[in-house]
Amino acid sequence: MTYVSNSASNSASNPVGLTGIEFTEFCGPSLEHLDSLFWSFGFSKLRRHPSKDISYFRQNDIHFLLNGERDGHSAQFARKHGPAISAMGWRVENAQAALTAAVARGAVAVADAMKDHAFPAVWGIGESIIYFIEPAANGQTIYERDFVALDSPLIQADKGFLAVDHLTNNVPPGEQDKWANFYKNIFGFTEVRYFDIQGAKTGLTSFALRSPDGSFCIPINQPKDDKDQIAEYLREYKGPGVQHLAFSTDDILSSLDQLEGSGIETLEIDDDYYAEVFERVQGVREDHARLQQHQVLIDGDEAGYLLQIFTKNIIGPIFIEIIQRANNLGFGEGNFGALFRSLEKDQERRGVI
Ligand SMILES: [Fe+2]
């Protein structure tokens, strides 16, 4: 296969000229829950699509679209999956060139009739859509160009969430390689880590892939049996898809303080976790007592550490992670055991295992 680059930044290592995540699009049978959830997380509701029931929410460089159309892709997606992530917009230098490159490398273009937006697009995981978004002209954002201001925008101070650090996909047994190859071969993602996680009763394997521009990662989880959390997700979501989105913050304690009273629940961590974690991870500068009080998880190595916390499932089976990195590019591997046990306990309480 030969491919002639249409853009200076497109290359063998970055075939579609990817530069980051532009937006995440949500849908669901009822939007009220998502609307209030975004508000609880500190997003401002700013604009709307001029002719469709699609709202735009923003917090720093996290851009959410909430699609309440009764027809079209997101509507179909919501009918099948319930509350879900139906599409993402990925930033590229040149959207048409990105589409051409992606299709030449095996992606399937989405027909215009199937799309809720005019951007060029290919099919992603679980019948979700990946739109290619090029910069708007004259320094505008695509939201200023393509959406209109709400008469009464709902603006609030942000809660310190800066960007989507990573999103994780769940896939059925046997599909991990297929989806890893999808991201590698079409978009130039590279594998940065491989995990084999064993809980007390269940387990999973995970590949972590990094985008060719380095701006975000996509770990891909595959269950080892039909009872673990990944298998449960696949049953509830009715197929593969996004398991969680991770928001980055520079100050997780401040962000968590600001989430107090919001009703957003996080996973419960064993008390004995904190008896040893500050031995295992040295040099954590944040207040240790406050980290324990908020039940923040800690991981790291000689070079640095990360702080992370996970909500319970809050968008159907999808949850949110909050992550603060201090010179550490991992995903909290040292916490997977504790996390897995916490999720197993929750599954046990619910009678799943
Ligand atoms: Fe994560």
Side-chain angles (χ1 to χ4, degrees):
M1 178 169 59
T2 57
Y3 166 66
V4 179
S5 174
N6 292 317
S7 162
S9 74
N10 293 13
S11 67
S13 62
N14 189 356
V16 307
L18 190 57
T19 59
I21 293 174
E22 178 59 55
F23 65 74
T24 307
E25 184 163 32
F26 295 82
C27 62
S30 156
L31 299 191
E32 283 166 34
H33 163 68
L34 291 166
D35 202 286
S36 70
L37 183 69
F38 296 166
W39 182 259
S40 297
F41 266 106
F43 286 80
S44 292
K45 185 176 184 179
L46 300 172
R47 304 179 83 82
R48 62 175 175 81
H49 192 281
S51 61
K52 294 182 177 180
D53 180 9
I54 304 175
S55 304
Y56 167 62
F57 298 73
R58 179 184 172 198
Q59 178 165 189
N60 295 306
D61 196 26
I62 310 175
H63 308 269
F64 282 173
L65 301 180
L66 185 52
N67 190 321
E69 284 287 285
R70 289 169 177 270
D71 296 305
H73 173 256
S74 282
Q76 285 179 25
F77 206 89
R79 278 194 287 275
K80 175 171 178 187
H81 299 277
I85 292 175
S86 51
M88 295 195 82
W90 284 6
R91 289 176 181 148
V92 295
E93 299 260 320
N94 178 322
Q96 201 58 48
L99 176 69
T100 303
V103 169
R105 300 172 75 90
V108 178
V110 182
D112 285 350
M114 286 301 301
K115 294 189 291 189
D116 294 332
H117 305 279
F119 313 114
V122 296
W123 290 108
I125 193 159
E127 297 144 7
S128 67
I129 287 178
I130 298 169
Y131 291 100
F132 295 122
I133 313 296
E134 63 190 20
N138 306 322
Q140 276 190 315
T141 67
I142 61 162
Y143 314 103
E144 290 164 334
R145 183 190 64 192
D146 298 340
F147 288 64
V148 295
L150 292 174
D151 293 337
S152 306
L154 298 171
I155 297 171
Q156 63 175 325
D158 72 71
K159 295 187 175 177
F161 301 120
L162 302 173
V164 174
D165 178 276
H166 63 275
L167 60 127
T168 294
N169 286 171
N170 283 342
V171 302
E175 291 197 11
Q176 194 163 38
D177 286 340
K178 173 183 139 184
W179 287 105
N181 288 335
F182 171 79
Y183 293 114
K184 286 186 202 171
N185 296 343
I186 294 171
F187 302 102
F189 281 66
T190 51
E191 192 176 320
V192 287
R193 292 177 197 239
Y194 173 77
F195 316 109
D196 189 330
I197 304 150
Q198 195 59 49
K201 293 183 179 173
T202 61
L204 66 88
T205 58
S206 184
F207 283 115
L209 304 170
R210 177 164 292 128
S211 65
D213 63 312
S215 67
F216 68 103
C217 287
I218 305 182
I220 303 176
N221 293 332
Q222 174 177 287
K224 283 187 175 175
D225 56 52
D226 63 0
K227 287 198 171 132
D228 80 352
Q229 315 131 31
I230 312 303
E232 194 186 352
Y233 168 99
L234 294 166
R235 278 196 300 277
E236 185 179 344
Y237 202 68
K238 298 189 173 61
V242 176
Q243 178 207 38
H244 70 273
L245 285 182
F247 299 158
S248 60
T249 171
D250 283 343
D251 187 345
I252 197 168
L253 289 171
S254 164
S255 290
L256 290 170
D257 283 346
Q258 293 176 75
L259 287 184
E260 291 270 332
S262 68
I264 292 170
E265 292 183 286
T266 56
L267 289 182
E268 290 151 31
I269 303 304
D270 293 343
D271 288 341
D272 57 7
Y273 175 86
Y274 292 94
E276 57 81 33
V277 71
F278 296 110
E279 290 296 315
R280 175 166 63 82
V281 185
Q282 303 273 327
V284 175
R285 290 184 294 274
E286 287 70 14
D287 186 299
H288 293 188
R290 288 185 68 212
L291 290 172
Q292 176 165 3
Q293 178 210 334
H294 275 301
Q295 299 225 294
V296 173
L297 295 164
I298 300 123
D299 194 27
D301 54 25
E302 315 75 49
Y305 62 91
L306 63 78
L307 308 171
Q308 64 185 166
I309 194 165
F310 299 86
T311 72
K312 295 185 176 175
N313 295 354
I314 47 177
I315 302 169
I318 300 172
F319 57 88
I320 300 293
E321 173 181 350
I322 300 165
I323 187 164
Q324 178 183 342
R325 296 185 182 279
N327 198 33
N328 184 291
L329 290 175
F331 298 92
E333 295 86 307
N335 292 321
F336 284 0
L339 205 57
F340 216 87
R341 284 193 294 281
S342 172
L343 288 165
E344 276 189 340
K345 273 188 192 166
D346 184 53
Q347 285 190 302
E348 278 171 352
R349 271 195 295 273
R350 293 182 289 111
V352 179
I353 56 174

